[in-house]
Amino acid sequence: METVETERANRSIGETVPVFEALDLLSTSDPDQMWRDVDARQDATPEGAGQRRRLREIRDRGALLPRPENHVGFRHAEASPQTGELPLGALRKILGHG
């Protein structure tokens, strides 16, 4: 039987794959190249912009609510008729009021 911690760790590992893909870390085993790929996401180039967009996992009209410890508290990929209500509901839930 898996513990809650094991389930959470396994879920977290699965959630890192899109991040590694967006940073192009799965294409090499060279640590120096990995660091260059991570640094490249900061570049003011179309490639850097593409990496940042893939890391956010939201469109230009989506919403992202980071928690104080820099974890994602809420993410909505695209605009929605409830765009204003959705982050507010997420914030209430994060704060334990919903």
Side-chain angles (χ1 to χ4, degrees):
M1 174 188 268
E2 288 189 353
T3 65
V4 172
E5 291 84 12
T6 302
E7 290 175 19
R8 182 176 174 197
N10 289 339
R11 190 171 53 249
S12 294
I13 289 169
E15 292 170 353
T16 60
V17 172
V19 173
F20 288 177
E21 288 173 344
L23 292 173
D24 201 24
L25 295 178
L26 301 177
S27 66
T28 183
S29 60
D30 176 18
D32 293 329
Q33 181 62 47
M34 289 179 183
W35 280 114
R36 286 191 295 275
D37 292 341
V38 168
D39 289 340
R41 82 184 191 308
Q42 299 174 26
D43 294 344
T45 63
E47 293 82 14
Q51 281 188 333
R52 291 188 297 276
R53 189 172 39 255
R54 287 189 300 276
L55 285 168
R56 285 192 307 266
E57 296 179 341
I58 59 171
R59 308 266 191 295
D60 289 340
R61 297 189 180 268
L64 184 69
L65 176 64
R67 295 172 47 121
E69 72 277 11
N70 289 325
H71 290 267
V72 175
F74 171 79
R75 177 183 294 128
H76 199 330
E78 297 181 10
S80 162
Q82 301 119 345
T83 298
E85 298 167 20
L86 293 172
L88 184 57
L91 184 58
R92 284 188 180 126
K93 186 173 181 179
I94 290 168
L95 296 174
H97 299 290

